[in-house]
Amino acid sequence: MAERLATRFRTALVTGASTGLGRAFARMLLAEGVAVWGTSRDAARLADMAQEHPQAFHPVVLELADAAAAARAFRAAEQAAGPLHILVNNAGMTRDMLALRMRDADWQAVLDVDLSAPFRLARAALKGMLRRRAGRIISISSIVGVTGNAGQSNY
């Protein structure tokens, strides 16, 4: 019989947990018995997950572009749950337009959410994971990061 994931990894932080792949990751972890702290900018989108799993899903409203807020959210989750064993960097955003017309603010917004936030969260997670010699960091990317698309130079 297969060992449940929660036997070794009891807690996870999943960014972008309100829709799409992030929601699927959160549900998969919940099904395995892992307590999930799921983030989104939209509290309403997290509410139904919290209702479905009131003991195991913990909604975290978070603007990942705010470096201080991301660090606070990570610390708050660890204070509430103890060590976080799994980090799923899933949240992402686009601000599509031609490079010639792209404003610096649009460029920076995408980099803050898609690159800087996963790095900062991974760095925060690594401290405890290295000490415990256990943990998993999963960072999701898009094929567009490899192949590129017109109008998505910042993505």
Side-chain angles (χ1 to χ4, degrees):
M1 182 178 243
E3 179 182 12
R4 288 191 65 125
L5 188 62
T7 304
R8 184 156 184 218
F9 303 111
R10 295 178 306 280
T11 56
L13 177 70
V14 178
T15 66
S18 64
T19 61
L21 285 175
R23 189 177 185 93
F25 278 114
R27 287 198 168 161
M28 186 269 312
L29 290 166
L30 289 163
E32 288 291 322
V34 176
V36 173
W37 273 254
T39 77
S40 175
R41 291 182 290 185
D42 186 346
R45 288 184 161 181
L46 294 171
D48 61 330
M49 288 283 283
Q51 287 176 347
E52 289 175 28
H53 307 278
Q55 302 300 314
F57 184 83
H58 309 277
V60 179
V61 176
L62 177 60
E63 176 54 61
L64 284 171
D66 180 346
R72 280 193 309 272
F74 189 88
R75 284 192 304 273
E78 284 207 322
Q79 286 174 348
L84 288 172
H85 300 105
I86 301 168
L87 168 62
V88 179
N89 282 316
N90 169 73
M93 67 176 289
T94 61
R95 295 258 173 99
D96 297 349
M97 67 190 70
L98 296 175
L100 289 171
R101 293 186 180 147
M102 187 175 295
R103 297 176 306 137
D104 287 347
D106 293 323
W107 172 268
Q108 194 60 51
V110 172
L111 294 181
D112 286 345
V113 171
D114 293 2
L115 289 176
S116 297
F119 169 75
R120 289 181 184 120
L121 289 169
R123 183 176 55 191
L126 279 169
K127 292 175 186 173
M129 289 178 182
L130 287 171
R131 233 183 354 263
R132 291 186 303 277
R133 295 184 178 186
R136 299 293 184 266
I137 298 173
I138 302 161
S139 293
I140 307 305
S141 181
S142 168
I143 191 66
V144 174
V146 176
T147 62
N149 266 350
Q152 290 189 315
S153 60
N154 57 352
Y155 183 68

PDB file of all heavy atoms in Angstrom, residues 86-123:
ATOM      1  N   ILE A  86       6.210  21.905   1.971  1.00  0.00           N
ATOM      2  CA  ILE A  86       6.091  21.987   0.514  1.00  0.00           C
ATOM      3  C   ILE A  86       5.766  23.427   0.140  1.00  0.00           C
ATOM      4  O   ILE A  86       4.894  24.051   0.740  1.00  0.00           O
ATOM      5  CB  ILE A  86       4.967  21.059  -0.012  1.00  0.00           C
ATOM      6  CG1 ILE A  86       5.234  19.608   0.376  1.00  0.00           C
ATOM      7  CG2 ILE A  86       4.816  21.199  -1.525  1.00  0.00           C
ATOM      8  CD1 ILE A  86       4.042  18.687   0.148  1.00  0.00           C
ATOM      9  N   LEU A  87       6.465  23.938  -0.868  1.00  0.00           N
ATOM     10  CA  LEU A  87       6.148  25.233  -1.462  1.00  0.00           C
ATOM     11  C   LEU A  87       5.865  24.997  -2.931  1.00  0.00           C
ATOM     12  O   LEU A  87       6.702  24.419  -3.635  1.00  0.00           O
ATOM     13  CB  LEU A  87       7.320  26.207  -1.309  1.00  0.00           C
ATOM     14  CG  LEU A  87       7.233  27.499  -2.131  1.00  0.00           C
ATOM     15  CD1 LEU A  87       6.015  28.343  -1.724  1.00  0.00           C
ATOM     16  CD2 LEU A  87       8.523  28.297  -1.992  1.00  0.00           C
ATOM     17  N   VAL A  88       4.694  25.419  -3.379  1.00  0.00           N
ATOM     18  CA  VAL A  88       4.359  25.353  -4.804  1.00  0.00           C
ATOM     19  C   VAL A  88       4.256  26.790  -5.312  1.00  0.00           C
ATOM     20  O   VAL A  88       3.317  27.503  -4.978  1.00  0.00           O
ATOM     21  CB  VAL A  88       3.041  24.585  -5.069  1.00  0.00           C
ATOM     22  CG1 VAL A  88       2.739  24.566  -6.564  1.00  0.00           C
ATOM     23  CG2 VAL A  88       3.109  23.174  -4.508  1.00  0.00           C
ATOM     24  N   ASN A  89       5.269  27.208  -6.062  1.00  0.00           N
ATOM     25  CA  ASN A  89       5.280  28.525  -6.706  1.00  0.00           C
ATOM     26  C   ASN A  89       4.517  28.388  -8.016  1.00  0.00           C
ATOM     27  O   ASN A  89       5.048  27.914  -9.002  1.00  0.00           O
ATOM     28  CB  ASN A  89       6.718  28.971  -6.998  1.00  0.00           C
ATOM     29  CG  ASN A  89       7.427  29.480  -5.786  1.00  0.00           C
ATOM     30  OD1 ASN A  89       6.875  30.237  -5.014  1.00  0.00           O
ATOM     31  ND2 ASN A  89       8.667  29.060  -5.609  1.00  0.00           N
ATOM     32  N   ASN A  90       3.268  28.774  -7.995  1.00  0.00           N
ATOM     33  CA  ASN A  90       2.409  28.589  -9.157  1.00  0.00           C
ATOM     34  C   ASN A  90       1.862  29.902  -9.709  1.00  0.00           C
ATOM     35  O   ASN A  90       1.632  30.008 -10.903  1.00  0.00           O
ATOM     36  CB  ASN A  90       1.248  27.659  -8.774  1.00  0.00           C
ATOM     37  CG  ASN A  90       0.190  27.649  -9.838  1.00  0.00           C
ATOM     38  OD1 ASN A  90       0.363  27.086 -10.903  1.00  0.00           O
ATOM     39  ND2 ASN A  90      -0.918  28.331  -9.567  1.00  0.00           N
ATOM     40  N   ALA A  91       1.645  30.895  -8.858  1.00  0.00           N
ATOM     41  CA  ALA A  91       1.002  32.136  -9.294  1.00  0.00           C
ATOM     42  C   ALA A  91       1.802  32.810 -10.394  1.00  0.00           C
ATOM     43  O   ALA A  91       3.030  32.782 -10.395  1.00  0.00           O
ATOM     44  CB  ALA A  91       0.839  33.092  -8.110  1.00  0.00           C
ATOM     45  N   GLY A  92       1.094  33.397 -11.318  1.00  0.00           N
ATOM     46  CA  GLY A  92       1.739  34.130 -12.391  1.00  0.00           C
ATOM     47  C   GLY A  92       0.777  35.143 -12.983  1.00  0.00           C
ATOM     48  O   GLY A  92      -0.424  35.083 -12.740  1.00  0.00           O
ATOM     49  N   MET A  93       1.322  36.072 -13.736  1.00  0.00           N
ATOM     50  CA  MET A  93       0.474  37.078 -14.368  1.00  0.00           C
ATOM     51  C   MET A  93       1.091  37.486 -15.696  1.00  0.00           C
ATOM     52  O   MET A  93       2.267  37.222 -15.954  1.00  0.00           O
ATOM     53  CB  MET A  93       0.322  38.301 -13.469  1.00  0.00           C
ATOM     54  CG  MET A  93       1.614  39.077 -13.276  1.00  0.00           C
ATOM     55  SD  MET A  93       1.413  40.589 -12.310  1.00  0.00           S
ATOM     56  CE  MET A  93       0.514  41.620 -13.434  1.00  0.00           C
ATOM     57  N   THR A  94       0.275  38.089 -16.525  1.00  0.00           N
ATOM     58  CA  THR A  94       0.755  38.641 -17.790  1.00  0.00           C
ATOM     59  C   THR A  94       0.265  40.078 -17.914  1.00  0.00           C
ATOM     60  O   THR A  94      -0.762  40.448 -17.342  1.00  0.00           O
ATOM     61  CB  THR A  94       0.238  37.849 -19.007  1.00  0.00           C
ATOM     62  OG1 THR A  94      -1.180  37.899 -19.023  1.00  0.00           O
ATOM     63  CG2 THR A  94       0.710  36.408 -18.978  1.00  0.00           C
ATOM     64  N   ARG A  95       1.012  40.850 -18.637  1.00  0.00           N
ATOM     65  CA  ARG A  95       0.620  42.197 -19.063  1.00  0.00           C
ATOM     66  C   ARG A  95       1.100  42.305 -20.502  1.00  0.00           C
ATOM     67  O   ARG A  95       2.151  42.863 -20.782  1.00  0.00           O
ATOM     68  CB  ARG A  95       1.264  43.281 -18.204  1.00  0.00           C
ATOM     69  CG  ARG A  95       0.842  43.295 -16.761  1.00  0.00           C
ATOM     70  CD  ARG A  95      -0.167  44.403 -16.515  1.00  0.00           C
ATOM     71  NE  ARG A  95      -0.717  44.337 -15.183  1.00  0.00           N
ATOM     72  CZ  ARG A  95      -0.314  45.072 -14.151  1.00  0.00           C
ATOM     73  NH1 ARG A  95       0.658  45.936 -14.304  1.00  0.00           N
ATOM     74  NH2 ARG A  95      -0.894  44.939 -12.986  1.00  0.00           N
ATOM     75  N   ASP A  96       0.355  41.684 -21.391  1.00  0.00           N
ATOM     76  CA  ASP A  96       0.786  41.535 -22.779  1.00  0.00           C
ATOM     77  C   ASP A  96       0.669  42.828 -23.573  1.00  0.00           C
ATOM     78  O   ASP A  96      -0.355  43.509 -23.513  1.00  0.00           O
ATOM     79  CB  ASP A  96      -0.053  40.458 -23.475  1.00  0.00           C
ATOM     80  CG  ASP A  96       0.120  39.095 -22.852  1.00  0.00           C
ATOM     81  OD1 ASP A  96       1.040  38.936 -22.028  1.00  0.00           O
ATOM     82  OD2 ASP A  96      -0.655  38.185 -23.191  1.00  0.00           O
ATOM     83  N   MET A  97       1.731  43.115 -24.299  1.00  0.00           N
ATOM     84  CA  MET A  97       1.741  44.197 -25.284  1.00  0.00           C
ATOM     85  C   MET A  97       3.090  44.171 -25.998  1.00  0.00           C
ATOM     86  O   MET A  97       4.022  43.514 -25.548  1.00  0.00           O
ATOM     87  CB  MET A  97       1.476  45.548 -24.646  1.00  0.00           C
ATOM     88  CG  MET A  97       2.553  46.031 -23.709  1.00  0.00           C
ATOM     89  SD  MET A  97       2.051  47.472 -22.777  1.00  0.00           S
ATOM     90  CE  MET A  97       0.833  46.770 -21.686  1.00  0.00           C
ATOM     91  N   LEU A  98       3.169  44.863 -27.094  1.00  0.00           N
ATOM     92  CA  LEU A  98       4.421  44.937 -27.835  1.00  0.00           C
ATOM     93  C   LEU A  98       5.478  45.652 -26.995  1.00  0.00           C
ATOM     94  O   LEU A  98       5.173  46.613 -26.288  1.00  0.00           O
ATOM     95  CB  LEU A  98       4.218  45.669 -29.158  1.00  0.00           C
ATOM     96  CG  LEU A  98       3.262  44.982 -30.150  1.00  0.00           C
ATOM     97  CD1 LEU A  98       3.053  45.873 -31.363  1.00  0.00           C
ATOM     98  CD2 LEU A  98       3.798  43.617 -30.553  1.00  0.00           C
ATOM     99  N   ALA A  99       6.706  45.197 -27.084  1.00  0.00           N
ATOM    100  CA  ALA A  99       7.792  45.761 -26.285  1.00  0.00           C
ATOM    101  C   ALA A  99       7.929  47.272 -26.500  1.00  0.00           C
ATOM    102  O   ALA A  99       8.217  48.010 -25.554  1.00  0.00           O
ATOM    103  CB  ALA A  99       9.099  45.055 -26.610  1.00  0.00           C
ATOM    104  N   LEU A 100       7.716  47.737 -27.711  1.00  0.00           N
ATOM    105  CA  LEU A 100       7.842  49.173 -27.980  1.00  0.00           C
ATOM    106  C   LEU A 100       6.823  50.013 -27.224  1.00  0.00           C
ATOM    107  O   LEU A 100       7.064  51.188 -26.956  1.00  0.00           O
ATOM    108  CB  LEU A 100       7.696  49.441 -29.487  1.00  0.00           C
ATOM    109  CG  LEU A 100       8.862  48.970 -30.345  1.00  0.00           C
ATOM    110  CD1 LEU A 100       8.503  49.091 -31.823  1.00  0.00           C
ATOM    111  CD2 LEU A 100      10.111  49.764 -30.031  1.00  0.00           C
ATOM    112  N   ARG A 101       5.716  49.408 -26.870  1.00  0.00           N
ATOM    113  CA  ARG A 101       4.653  50.141 -26.174  1.00  0.00           C
ATOM    114  C   ARG A 101       4.593  49.817 -24.679  1.00  0.00           C
ATOM    115  O   ARG A 101       3.819  50.423 -23.950  1.00  0.00           O
ATOM    116  CB  ARG A 101       3.304  49.816 -26.800  1.00  0.00           C
ATOM    117  CG  ARG A 101       3.200  50.337 -28.197  1.00  0.00           C
ATOM    118  CD  ARG A 101       1.816  50.135 -28.739  1.00  0.00           C
ATOM    119  NE  ARG A 101       1.770  50.651 -30.103  1.00  0.00           N
ATOM    120  CZ  ARG A 101       1.027  50.135 -31.047  1.00  0.00           C
ATOM    121  NH1 ARG A 101       0.260  49.104 -30.802  1.00  0.00           N
ATOM    122  NH2 ARG A 101       1.038  50.656 -32.256  1.00  0.00           N
ATOM    123  N   MET A 102       5.378  48.847 -24.235  1.00  0.00           N
ATOM    124  CA  MET A 102       5.304  48.391 -22.849  1.00  0.00           C
ATOM    125  C   MET A 102       5.861  49.449 -21.892  1.00  0.00           C
ATOM    126  O   MET A 102       6.966  49.943 -22.072  1.00  0.00           O
ATOM    127  CB  MET A 102       6.079  47.082 -22.684  1.00  0.00           C
ATOM    128  CG  MET A 102       5.896  46.459 -21.314  1.00  0.00           C
ATOM    129  SD  MET A 102       6.700  44.850 -21.209  1.00  0.00           S
ATOM    130  CE  MET A 102       5.737  43.907 -22.384  1.00  0.00           C
ATOM    131  N   ARG A 103       5.076  49.748 -20.897  1.00  0.00           N
ATOM    132  CA  ARG A 103       5.520  50.686 -19.861  1.00  0.00           C
ATOM    133  C   ARG A 103       6.415  49.950 -18.868  1.00  0.00           C
ATOM    134  O   ARG A 103       6.281  48.750 -18.669  1.00  0.00           O
ATOM    135  CB  ARG A 103       4.316  51.284 -19.129  1.00  0.00           C
ATOM    136  CG  ARG A 103       3.413  52.119 -20.025  1.00  0.00           C
ATOM    137  CD  ARG A 103       2.181  52.627 -19.302  1.00  0.00           C
ATOM    138  NE  ARG A 103       1.470  51.507 -18.699  1.00  0.00           N
ATOM    139  CZ  ARG A 103       0.951  51.505 -17.461  1.00  0.00           C
ATOM    140  NH1 ARG A 103       1.036  52.564 -16.703  1.00  0.00           N
ATOM    141  NH2 ARG A 103       0.326  50.454 -16.996  1.00  0.00           N
ATOM    142  N   ASP A 104       7.305  50.680 -18.232  1.00  0.00           N
ATOM    143  CA  ASP A 104       8.181  50.086 -17.228  1.00  0.00           C
ATOM    144  C   ASP A 104       7.373  49.427 -16.107  1.00  0.00           C
ATOM    145  O   ASP A 104       7.766  48.377 -15.601  1.00  0.00           O
ATOM    146  CB  ASP A 104       9.119  51.135 -16.631  1.00  0.00           C
ATOM    147  CG  ASP A 104      10.219  51.559 -17.589  1.00  0.00           C
ATOM    148  OD1 ASP A 104      10.415  50.886 -18.625  1.00  0.00           O
ATOM    149  OD2 ASP A 104      10.891  52.564 -17.290  1.00  0.00           O
ATOM    150  N   ALA A 105       6.263  50.036 -15.728  1.00  0.00           N
ATOM    151  CA  ALA A 105       5.441  49.482 -14.647  1.00  0.00           C
ATOM    152  C   ALA A 105       4.871  48.114 -15.025  1.00  0.00           C
ATOM    153  O   ALA A 105       4.790  47.218 -14.181  1.00  0.00           O
ATOM    154  CB  ALA A 105       4.309  50.442 -14.295  1.00  0.00           C
ATOM    155  N   ASP A 106       4.480  47.940 -16.285  1.00  0.00           N
ATOM    156  CA  ASP A 106       3.964  46.642 -16.739  1.00  0.00           C
ATOM    157  C   ASP A 106       5.077  45.604 -16.760  1.00  0.00           C
ATOM    158  O   ASP A 106       4.870  44.448 -16.390  1.00  0.00           O
ATOM    159  CB  ASP A 106       3.324  46.771 -18.118  1.00  0.00           C
ATOM    160  CG  ASP A 106       2.070  47.616 -18.089  1.00  0.00           C
ATOM    161  OD1 ASP A 106       1.309  47.520 -17.100  1.00  0.00           O
ATOM    162  OD2 ASP A 106       1.848  48.384 -19.034  1.00  0.00           O
ATOM    163  N   TRP A 107       6.239  45.993 -17.242  1.00  0.00           N
ATOM    164  CA  TRP A 107       7.403  45.101 -17.229  1.00  0.00           C
ATOM    165  C   TRP A 107       7.686  44.640 -15.801  1.00  0.00           C
ATOM    166  O   TRP A 107       7.812  43.457 -15.515  1.00  0.00           O
ATOM    167  CB  TRP A 107       8.617  45.839 -17.808  1.00  0.00           C
ATOM    168  CG  TRP A 107       9.900  45.097 -17.682  1.00  0.00           C
ATOM    169  CD1 TRP A 107      10.806  45.185 -16.657  1.00  0.00           C
ATOM    170  CD2 TRP A 107      10.431  44.133 -18.590  1.00  0.00           C
ATOM    171  NE1 TRP A 107      11.861  44.340 -16.883  1.00  0.00           N
ATOM    172  CE2 TRP A 107      11.654  43.687 -18.064  1.00  0.00           C
ATOM    173  CE3 TRP A 107       9.982  43.620 -19.800  1.00  0.00           C
ATOM    174  CZ2 TRP A 107      12.436  42.749 -18.711  1.00  0.00           C
ATOM    175  CZ3 TRP A 107      10.768  42.673 -20.447  1.00  0.00           C
ATOM    176  CH2 TRP A 107      11.985  42.243 -19.893  1.00  0.00           C
ATOM    177  N   GLN A 108       7.772  45.601 -14.886  1.00  0.00           N
ATOM    178  CA  GLN A 108       8.149  45.299 -13.510  1.00  0.00           C
ATOM    179  C   GLN A 108       7.091  44.469 -12.784  1.00  0.00           C
ATOM    180  O   GLN A 108       7.431  43.584 -12.001  1.00  0.00           O
ATOM    181  CB  GLN A 108       8.420  46.591 -12.728  1.00  0.00           C
ATOM    182  CG  GLN A 108       9.140  46.355 -11.423  1.00  0.00           C
ATOM    183  CD  GLN A 108      10.485  45.686 -11.631  1.00  0.00           C
ATOM    184  OE1 GLN A 108      11.300  46.139 -12.430  1.00  0.00           O
ATOM    185  NE2 GLN A 108      10.727  44.599 -10.928  1.00  0.00           N
ATOM    186  N   ALA A 109       5.819  44.733 -13.032  1.00  0.00           N
ATOM    187  CA  ALA A 109       4.751  43.982 -12.363  1.00  0.00           C
ATOM    188  C   ALA A 109       4.858  42.487 -12.658  1.00  0.00           C
ATOM    189  O   ALA A 109       4.734  41.653 -11.753  1.00  0.00           O
ATOM    190  CB  ALA A 109       3.384  44.511 -12.799  1.00  0.00           C
ATOM    191  N   VAL A 110       5.104  42.145 -13.913  1.00  0.00           N
ATOM    192  CA  VAL A 110       5.222  40.734 -14.287  1.00  0.00           C
ATOM    193  C   VAL A 110       6.473  40.118 -13.659  1.00  0.00           C
ATOM    194  O   VAL A 110       6.428  39.012 -13.118  1.00  0.00           O
ATOM    195  CB  VAL A 110       5.219  40.569 -15.825  1.00  0.00           C
ATOM    196  CG1 VAL A 110       5.532  39.137 -16.225  1.00  0.00           C
ATOM    197  CG2 VAL A 110       3.863  40.994 -16.383  1.00  0.00           C
ATOM    198  N   LEU A 111       7.584  40.829 -13.702  1.00  0.00           N
ATOM    199  CA  LEU A 111       8.808  40.289 -13.094  1.00  0.00           C
ATOM    200  C   LEU A 111       8.655  40.111 -11.584  1.00  0.00           C
ATOM    201  O   LEU A 111       9.156  39.140 -11.017  1.00  0.00           O
ATOM    202  CB  LEU A 111      10.001  41.189 -13.410  1.00  0.00           C
ATOM    203  CG  LEU A 111      10.401  41.250 -14.874  1.00  0.00           C
ATOM    204  CD1 LEU A 111      11.619  42.146 -15.057  1.00  0.00           C
ATOM    205  CD2 LEU A 111      10.669  39.876 -15.447  1.00  0.00           C
ATOM    206  N   ASP A 112       7.972  41.046 -10.927  1.00  0.00           N
ATOM    207  CA  ASP A 112       7.777  40.944  -9.479  1.00  0.00           C
ATOM    208  C   ASP A 112       6.996  39.688  -9.103  1.00  0.00           C
ATOM    209  O   ASP A 112       7.347  38.991  -8.154  1.00  0.00           O
ATOM    210  CB  ASP A 112       7.043  42.179  -8.940  1.00  0.00           C
ATOM    211  CG  ASP A 112       7.928  43.411  -8.890  1.00  0.00           C
ATOM    212  OD1 ASP A 112       9.168  43.291  -8.992  1.00  0.00           O
ATOM    213  OD2 ASP A 112       7.364  44.520  -8.756  1.00  0.00           O
ATOM    214  N   VAL A 113       5.934  39.396  -9.842  1.00  0.00           N
ATOM    215  CA  VAL A 113       5.087  38.252  -9.514  1.00  0.00           C
ATOM    216  C   VAL A 113       5.673  36.943 -10.047  1.00  0.00           C
ATOM    217  O   VAL A 113       5.698  35.931  -9.348  1.00  0.00           O
ATOM    218  CB  VAL A 113       3.651  38.457 -10.043  1.00  0.00           C
ATOM    219  CG1 VAL A 113       2.815  37.188  -9.902  1.00  0.00           C
ATOM    220  CG2 VAL A 113       2.982  39.609  -9.305  1.00  0.00           C
ATOM    221  N   ASP A 114       6.171  36.954 -11.278  1.00  0.00           N
ATOM    222  CA  ASP A 114       6.589  35.709 -11.933  1.00  0.00           C
ATOM    223  C   ASP A 114       8.013  35.279 -11.603  1.00  0.00           C
ATOM    224  O   ASP A 114       8.327  34.089 -11.703  1.00  0.00           O
ATOM    225  CB  ASP A 114       6.445  35.834 -13.445  1.00  0.00           C
ATOM    226  CG  ASP A 114       4.991  35.944 -13.888  1.00  0.00           C
ATOM    227  OD1 ASP A 114       4.090  35.967 -13.026  1.00  0.00           O
ATOM    228  OD2 ASP A 114       4.759  36.010 -15.105  1.00  0.00           O
ATOM    229  N   LEU A 115       8.882  36.212 -11.238  1.00  0.00           N
ATOM    230  CA  LEU A 115      10.278  35.869 -10.946  1.00  0.00           C
ATOM    231  C   LEU A 115      10.685  36.167  -9.507  1.00  0.00           C
ATOM    232  O   LEU A 115      11.229  35.309  -8.820  1.00  0.00           O
ATOM    233  CB  LEU A 115      11.224  36.609 -11.893  1.00  0.00           C
ATOM    234  CG  LEU A 115      11.230  36.163 -13.334  1.00  0.00           C
ATOM    235  CD1 LEU A 115      12.147  37.043 -14.168  1.00  0.00           C
ATOM    236  CD2 LEU A 115      11.653  34.711 -13.451  1.00  0.00           C
ATOM    237  N   SER A 116      10.464  37.386  -9.074  1.00  0.00           N
ATOM    238  CA  SER A 116      10.951  37.780  -7.753  1.00  0.00           C
ATOM    239  C   SER A 116      10.218  37.075  -6.618  1.00  0.00           C
ATOM    240  O   SER A 116      10.851  36.616  -5.668  1.00  0.00           O
ATOM    241  CB  SER A 116      10.853  39.301  -7.580  1.00  0.00           C
ATOM    242  OG  SER A 116      11.694  39.943  -8.513  1.00  0.00           O
ATOM    243  N   ALA A 117       8.900  37.001  -6.702  1.00  0.00           N
ATOM    244  CA  ALA A 117       8.141  36.355  -5.622  1.00  0.00           C
ATOM    245  C   ALA A 117       8.519  34.885  -5.450  1.00  0.00           C
ATOM    246  O   ALA A 117       8.763  34.447  -4.315  1.00  0.00           O
ATOM    247  CB  ALA A 117       6.643  36.520  -5.847  1.00  0.00           C
ATOM    248  N   PRO A 118       8.582  34.079  -6.507  1.00  0.00           N
ATOM    249  CA  PRO A 118       9.002  32.681  -6.313  1.00  0.00           C
ATOM    250  C   PRO A 118      10.405  32.562  -5.710  1.00  0.00           C
ATOM    251  O   PRO A 118      10.651  31.703  -4.862  1.00  0.00           O
ATOM    252  CB  PRO A 118       8.966  32.084  -7.721  1.00  0.00           C
ATOM    253  CG  PRO A 118       8.002  32.931  -8.459  1.00  0.00           C
ATOM    254  CD  PRO A 118       8.156  34.315  -7.888  1.00  0.00           C
ATOM    255  N   PHE A 119      11.324  33.442  -6.130  1.00  0.00           N
ATOM    256  CA  PHE A 119      12.663  33.414  -5.556  1.00  0.00           C
ATOM    257  C   PHE A 119      12.620  33.716  -4.067  1.00  0.00           C
ATOM    258  O   PHE A 119      13.229  33.009  -3.252  1.00  0.00           O
ATOM    259  CB  PHE A 119      13.588  34.412  -6.274  1.00  0.00           C
ATOM    260  CG  PHE A 119      14.882  34.612  -5.548  1.00  0.00           C
ATOM    261  CD1 PHE A 119      15.872  33.645  -5.595  1.00  0.00           C
ATOM    262  CD2 PHE A 119      15.097  35.751  -4.789  1.00  0.00           C
ATOM    263  CE1 PHE A 119      17.065  33.816  -4.901  1.00  0.00           C
ATOM    264  CE2 PHE A 119      16.282  35.932  -4.096  1.00  0.00           C
ATOM    265  CZ  PHE A 119      17.264  34.956  -4.147  1.00  0.00           C
ATOM    266  N   ARG A 120      11.906  34.779  -3.690  1.00  0.00           N
ATOM    267  CA  ARG A 120      11.845  35.165  -2.272  1.00  0.00           C
ATOM    268  C   ARG A 120      11.183  34.076  -1.418  1.00  0.00           C
ATOM    269  O   ARG A 120      11.631  33.782  -0.309  1.00  0.00           O
ATOM    270  CB  ARG A 120      11.095  36.480  -2.130  1.00  0.00           C
ATOM    271  CG  ARG A 120      11.864  37.653  -2.658  1.00  0.00           C
ATOM    272  CD  ARG A 120      11.084  38.942  -2.457  1.00  0.00           C
ATOM    273  NE  ARG A 120      11.797  40.048  -3.044  1.00  0.00           N
ATOM    274  CZ  ARG A 120      11.317  40.819  -3.999  1.00  0.00           C
ATOM    275  NH1 ARG A 120      10.092  40.622  -4.471  1.00  0.00           N
ATOM    276  NH2 ARG A 120      12.030  41.809  -4.490  1.00  0.00           N
ATOM    277  N   LEU A 121      10.105  33.500  -1.934  1.00  0.00           N
ATOM    278  CA  LEU A 121       9.438  32.441  -1.177  1.00  0.00           C
ATOM    279  C   LEU A 121      10.328  31.200  -1.063  1.00  0.00           C
ATOM    280  O   LEU A 121      10.399  30.575  -0.008  1.00  0.00           O
ATOM    281  CB  LEU A 121       8.096  32.101  -1.804  1.00  0.00           C
ATOM    282  CG  LEU A 121       7.018  33.170  -1.629  1.00  0.00           C
ATOM    283  CD1 LEU A 121       5.816  32.862  -2.504  1.00  0.00           C
ATOM    284  CD2 LEU A 121       6.610  33.304  -0.172  1.00  0.00           C
ATOM    285  N   ALA A 122      11.011  30.844  -2.142  1.00  0.00           N
ATOM    286  CA  ALA A 122      11.918  29.695  -2.101  1.00  0.00           C
ATOM    287  C   ALA A 122      13.045  29.944  -1.108  1.00  0.00           C
ATOM    288  O   ALA A 122      13.411  29.056  -0.329  1.00  0.00           O
ATOM    289  CB  ALA A 122      12.473  29.397  -3.486  1.00  0.00           C
ATOM    290  N   ARG A 123      13.582  31.135  -1.118  1.00  0.00           N
ATOM    291  CA  ARG A 123      14.650  31.469  -0.173  1.00  0.00           C
ATOM    292  C   ARG A 123      14.153  31.344   1.262  1.00  0.00           C
ATOM    293  O   ARG A 123      14.839  30.774   2.120  1.00  0.00           O
ATOM    294  CB  ARG A 123      15.155  32.887  -0.455  1.00  0.00           C
ATOM    295  CG  ARG A 123      16.313  33.308   0.424  1.00  0.00           C
ATOM    296  CD  ARG A 123      16.831  34.664   0.032  1.00  0.00           C
ATOM    297  NE  ARG A 123      15.755  35.660   0.038  1.00  0.00           N
ATOM    298  CZ  ARG A 123      15.876  36.874  -0.470  1.00  0.00           C
ATOM    299  NH1 ARG A 123      16.998  37.245  -1.055  1.00  0.00           N
ATOM    300  NH2 ARG A 123      14.877  37.720  -0.416  1.00  0.00           N
TER     301      ARG A 123
END
